[in-house]
Amino acid sequence: MEQFNVYASRLITKKEHFTPGHRACQGCAEALAVRMVAKALGKNVIVASATGCMEIISSPLPFTNWKVPWIHVAFENAAAVASGAEAGTKALIRKGKLVDKGTVFLGMGGDGATSDIGLQALSGAFERGHNFLYVCYDNEAYMNTGIQRSSATPFGAATTTSPAGKQIPGQVTWKKNMPEIAVAHNIPYVATACSSYPFDLIQKVKKAASIKGPAYVHILSICPTGWRIPADKAIWIGRRAVETGVFPLYEVENGKYRITVDVPELRPVEDYLKPQGRFRHLTPELIEKIQTRVTKEYNNLKTKTKLET
Amino acid sequence: MGERVGIEVSIAAAEAVKMANTDVIAAYPITPQTHIVEHLSELVADGELDAEFIPVESEHSAMSVCCGSSAVGARTFTCTSSQGLALMNEIVFIAPSLRLPIVMILANRSMSGPLSIWNDHTDVMSIRDCGWIQIFTENGQEVFDHVMFAFRVAENSSVSLPVIVNLDGFVLTHVIEPIEFWDKETVKQYLPDFKPVNQLHPDNPVTMGAFGLPSIFTEAKKAQDEALINSKSEILKAWKEMGDLVGRYYKPVETYQLDGSETVFLTIGSFGETVSVAVDELRAQGKSVGQVKLRLWRPFPFDEFREAVRGVKRIIVIDRAISYGGPGGPVASEIRSVLYQEENMPVITNFLCGFAGRDVTSDDYISMYEKTEQMAKGKVTQEDYIIYGVRE
Ligand SMILES: Cc1ncc(C[n+]2csc(CCOP(=O)(O)OP(=O)(O)O)c2C)c(N)n1
Ligand code: SF4
Ligand SMILES: [Mg+2]
């Protein structure tokens, strides 16, 4: 496994549609995830991006890192904008004003843009059944504005608005389960991914793009700045998230659950929490509490994979 | 020339959107805009209009969908009122900065609270500085004509800006009026296909909505301001050509009985017709009274307006919105600053009335005139503004 990255870089296309030279922090695995999604989708795509780190670092007027058509309108409406682009294109094709090229419509946003402020717009676009793909880059906080908590911030994590205080030990709520919310819309495809598992990620994004109707991919996107880890540890921490069961990699195709990166024996959550500054203050009791929850949720997921649909 | 039919103004507006061969409609229902969207969804459901009707979950998404569809080059329409406009406000400001030629009908309704579904201009005045081309209409025919006009101006490659057509809620939306429809040939002649300046398409990738550092933001805003100011020549051209085609010549500033009038009423929107009745009555009494109506609100028609009121001694500005704690109604504030540097600046009195559908009759306008006369003669104190008709 040590040579994995060398191996990966040979098998994944060298073509870049999200180019180097962007302004992300050193070691940003969110930018890496964006790059992989761009590789997976190729040139025939129209991207609608939410406000957030990935928008700011890639589009300082008059420069752009986007070699594909890209639009940013606001923070909470990427799904609506993508659905408008899809609908407009569909109408123009039907009326003979555009040639049908099978273009993919991608909406993208951070965890804040997706599971908080943009949840309604995303839910609406899912429900209306647009033929589009939405990717959530989940770095578990509002990083662009300075590491404030979101509903995707995990229990116990210290952020600038869920600080580890003398009375309150960081985030007191459990991470909102956004993939499950997507599944509840009965859309044909939902998956989780992480840039520490590039093949799994690329495969899922390709599949999501090829499916008719709405698809959702939720990517755990490690943010060294916000998680308080060294810049060279992002990939490693992403693996730990999966190996501990904190962030399982799975897909739900037409309601059928499948774990794509199986972890026969989960590592203790401590292996994931300990290296991160945002969890530094956690007591053994709180870690135990997190362990119980993670084990339970992982088992729930396993049960779902055995369900007939 | 098309046929003349008795029809509800909302239905006529929707029919105009159909005749314009709109590609995408994204809207969320709110009184008094509802009849327009309902009729559009029927037209799409019956296959009479080949468009995508997107029944969004909010006005915020309505305007966002419009941005997406306009950016791919689709002719795009939406309509809303008051609370809906407030909810989409954020995106209303972004659309013109992206130079997206969306057309929106605003069925004017008062802003909450208290909650009211009735008509005034508190909604549109809240977005005065949003960067859209903004026009007001006075009757159903003007609404129909200006749907065509709005698409033509918005999509003109030298303009490429969104356009708002204001029509008063209920007072216009829900009344039946005789309206002359355009025939297909006229529409075709007047309204070319939409050829976007910039378009999201994989063959020619562009980045839209980039982020602006302080080093470039001012220049971006200057460019946007110039685009709106420069749109005026296309606006005038579009009105001239419409006149040549359908015989109705519209102007940025319309006048009524203006010649030599000492006092003029200034109105926007459908109240203008009632004011005209008051003008007739006052003239019958031998008063020197006329009327100026603003049709074009943004870009503001400075030259035409100054020209229209040259030599006028008093202007009675009728406002249908409040600027709480401010210097007057929004229209009066603008008029005062537009005329401030003029020689012999007229005295401006400002009456705020007709809030949330409160009826204002021609007698009311006559009494506003009388009050203005008294102020002019120093019999009562000149006030910055008067909220007219408050029940004591
Ligand atoms: C309506 C609105 N509210 C707040 C903001 C400020 N804002 C910009 S980006 C952002 C946080 C983005 O967080 P997330 O979506 O998780 O993306 P990240 O930056 O973490 O990748 C916030 C709060 C805004 N731009 N618009
Ligand atoms: S703050 Fe985090 S997500 Fe944002 S650019 Fe830096 S590392 Fe990436
Ligand atoms: Mg985030």
Side-chain angles (χ1 to χ4, degrees):
Chain A
M1 268 320 233
E2 286 303 309
Q3 296 306 309
F4 190 75
N5 295 314
V6 181
Y7 172 63
S9 68
R10 292 223 186 104
L11 289 182
I12 295 168
T13 174
K14 284 205 167 58
K15 289 217 176 78
E16 302 290 358
H17 306 285
F18 173 71
T19 65
H22 57 69
R23 283 126 157 102
C25 314
Q26 201 177 32
C28 173
E30 182 162 57
L32 179 61
V34 171
R35 182 175 158 215
M36 285 175 184
V37 170
K39 280 176 182 284
L41 295 176
K43 275 162 73 164
N44 194 9
V45 64
I46 292 177
V47 187
S49 171
T51 313
C53 272
M54 293 304 106
E55 168 259 330
I56 292 289
I57 59 113
S58 69
S59 74
L61 195 66
F63 304 107
T64 182
N65 294 98
W66 293 94
K67 281 184 145 180
V68 290
W70 183 92
I71 183 170
H72 157 254
V73 180
F75 184 22
E76 63 293 84
N77 65 353
V81 175
S83 75
E86 183 259 2
T89 304
K90 196 161 133 194
L92 292 172
I93 290 169
R94 197 173 57 229
K95 291 165 111 169
K97 295 177 190 172
L98 268 186
V99 181
D100 189 358
K101 300 190 68 171
T103 303
V104 173
F105 296 90
L106 171 70
M108 60 174 268
D111 48 297
T114 307
S115 47
D116 292 337
I117 201 164
L119 184 56
Q120 174 181 322
L122 180 60
S123 175
F126 281 165
E127 178 272 327
R128 295 192 299 271
H130 294 274
N131 187 19
F132 82 121
L133 159 64
Y134 188 95
V135 175
C136 170
Y137 297 100
D138 179 6
N139 55 16
E140 304 196 316
Y142 303 152
M143 296 309 176
N144 185 49
T145 37
I147 326 175
Q148 294 88 13
R149 62 84 72 181
S150 77
S151 62
T153 302
F155 178 89
T159 69
T160 54
T161 54
S162 63
K166 293 194 183 103
Q167 302 277 330
I168 305 170
Q171 176 91 333
V172 292
T173 51
W174 296 97
K175 185 179 176 71
K176 189 188 272 186
N177 194 333
M178 196 49 222
E180 275 302 316
I181 292 171
V183 171
H185 285 77
N186 280 323
I187 58 173
Y189 189 75
V190 175
T192 63
C194 175
S195 48
S196 304
Y197 295 82
F199 294 122
D200 181 72
L201 184 153
I202 287 174
Q203 219 167 25
K204 283 169 174 166
V205 170
K206 283 192 165 158
K207 193 191 260 188
S210 72
I211 274 165
K212 272 247 159 301
Y216 178 79
V217 180
H218 190 104
I219 304 181
L220 185 70
S221 306
I222 289 81
C223 163
T225 309
W227 294 18
R228 315 254 188 252
I229 56 166
D232 63 350
K233 282 285 183 283
I235 305 298
W236 179 79
I237 279 288
R239 297 251 178 85
R240 285 275 159 105
V242 175
E243 289 160 4
T244 53
V246 166
F247 191 86
L249 298 180
Y250 64 99
E251 64 182 8
V252 188
E253 208 174 337
N254 296 315
K256 178 87 188 130
Y257 285 74
R258 188 172 76 86
I259 291 177
T260 57
V261 176
D262 199 19
V263 188
E265 203 163 328
L266 298 180
R267 278 175 179 270
V269 291
E270 208 170 350
D271 291 359
Y272 171 65
L273 303 175
K274 269 279 151 75
Q276 300 182 51
R278 62 176 176 158
F279 294 118
R280 188 168 30 221
H281 58 284
L282 292 186
T283 59
E285 293 73 42
L286 286 171
I287 292 175
E288 192 46 44
K289 197 172 167 180
I290 294 170
Q291 182 66 68
T292 309
R293 173 95 177 191
V294 166
T295 311
K296 188 174 139 236
E297 292 213 330
Y298 198 81
N299 289 338
N300 281 348
L301 179 66
K302 282 249 167 185
T303 314
K304 283 182 190 159
T305 62
K306 294 184 189 106
L307 293 176
E308 292 294 322
T309 50
Chain B
M1 194 41 57
E3 190 194 354
R4 200 174 167 86
V5 287
I7 190 169
E8 190 188 287
V9 173
S10 288
I11 309 299
E15 290 286 333
V17 172
K18 177 190 95 177
M19 292 193 80
N21 193 15
T22 303
D23 299 313
V24 173
I25 298 143
Y28 190 86
I30 179 167
T31 306
Q33 151 266 37
T34 37
H35 291 184
I36 302 173
V37 259
E38 286 168 5
H39 192 64
L40 279 168
S41 68
E42 279 169 27
L43 291 172
V44 172
D46 288 339
E48 282 189 46
L49 167 59
D50 186 2
E52 290 292 306
F53 181 88
I54 315 294
V56 280
E57 84 300 330
S58 73
E59 288 86 355
H60 194 284
S61 284
M63 190 48 69
S64 303
V65 166
C66 287
C67 286
S69 71
S70 186
V72 296
R75 180 165 288 168
T76 301
F77 176 81
T78 187
C79 54
T80 192
S81 299
S82 73
Q83 305 313 113
L85 179 70
L87 187 60
M88 67 167 64
N89 180 284
E90 183 196 24
I91 315 303
V92 170
F93 279 70
I94 298 173
S97 79
L98 295 171
R99 304 290 299 272
L100 296 173
I102 299 156
V103 169
M104 169 154 72
I105 285 186
L106 197 55
N108 303 121
R109 156 179 160 176
S110 60
M111 294 282 298
S112 272
L115 180 84
S116 163
I117 58 169
W118 308 103
N119 161 244
D120 62 36
H121 291 161
T122 46
D123 56 2
V124 58
M125 289 304 155
S126 74
I127 53 154
R128 188 190 66 176
D129 299 332
C130 66
W132 290 51
I133 293 170
Q134 301 184 45
I135 57 158
F136 282 87
T137 57
E138 213 178 346
N139 57 47
Q141 185 67 58
E142 293 190 4
V143 174
F144 187 95
D145 293 346
H146 282 89
V147 169
M148 305 300 174
F149 163 89
F151 280 118
R152 174 173 153 144
V153 171
E155 294 170 1
N156 181 287
S157 60
S158 72
V159 177
S160 200
L161 283 170
V163 178
I164 290 171
V165 179
N166 287 285
L167 72 154
D168 285 311
F170 292 111
V171 182
L172 278 187
T173 53
H174 286 55
V175 297
I176 293 171
E177 289 190 4
I179 294 174
E180 191 179 279
F181 275 48
W182 296 19
D183 57 38
K184 282 194 179 132
E185 203 41 51
T186 311
V187 177
K188 216 170 143 194
Q189 258 180 288
Y190 186 72
L191 184 59
D193 277 350
F194 174 27
K195 300 222 167 51
V197 185
N198 281 309
Q199 180 178 22
L200 293 176
H201 192 280
D203 287 353
N204 182 25
V206 290
T207 289
M208 290 187 187
F211 129 83
L213 284 163
S215 56
I216 203 162
F217 193 87
T218 308
E219 288 68 25
K221 289 289 111 175
K222 169 78 177 157
Q224 194 186 329
D225 187 40
E226 274 182 4
L228 185 59
I229 293 167
N230 294 341
S231 69
K232 199 171 143 205
S233 61
E234 277 308 321
I235 290 171
L236 297 178
K237 205 164 135 201
W239 272 331
K240 165 80 172 63
E241 274 180 42
M242 191 197 297
D244 294 347
L245 279 171
V246 303
R248 287 177 292 279
Y249 288 90
Y250 295 107
K251 286 182 268 152
V253 176
E254 307 278 358
T255 57
Y256 181 69
Q257 299 284 24
L258 192 61
D259 282 341
S261 291
E262 282 188 8
T263 304
V264 299
F265 282 96
L266 175 71
T267 57
I268 56 174
S270 65
F271 271 34
E273 292 193 342
T274 321
V275 170
S276 300
V277 175
V279 166
D280 289 344
E281 287 179 34
L282 286 163
R283 286 207 149 234
Q285 295 170 24
K287 313 278 190 205
S288 175
V289 183
Q291 183 182 2
V292 172
K293 309 179 213 178
L294 274 181
R295 179 184 304 290
L296 183 61
W297 179 234
R298 282 294 182 277
F300 192 90
F302 292 96
D303 295 342
E304 292 86 345
F305 181 73
R306 288 187 181 126
E307 187 53 39
V309 299
R310 185 145 297 144
V312 163
K313 293 212 171 67
R314 283 178 285 283
I315 305 179
I316 305 170
V317 180
I318 309 299
D319 255 297
R320 311 217 28 228
I322 280 191
S323 167
Y324 305 104
V331 180
S333 295
E334 295 242 323
I335 297 309
R336 284 188 179 118
S337 62
V338 168
L339 296 178
Y340 185 66
Q341 304 274 359
E342 297 293 289
E343 275 175 42
N344 305 321
M345 180 178 168
V347 172
I348 290 164
T349 56
N350 183 205
F351 293 89
L352 279 50
C353 62
F355 291 147
R358 176 78 63 91
D359 204 21
V360 190
T361 63
S362 58
D363 283 348
D364 291 317
Y365 293 115
I366 290 170
S367 88
M368 292 178 213
Y369 170 80
E370 283 160 359
K371 184 124 194 181
T372 298
E373 290 285 283
Q374 288 175 333
M375 285 197 266
K377 289 177 187 148
K379 288 190 183 148
V380 294
T381 353
Q382 168 85 32
E383 292 176 67
D384 286 336
Y385 64 94
I386 293 166
I387 299 182
Y388 179 85
V390 180
R391 289 187 289 123
E392 314 250 324

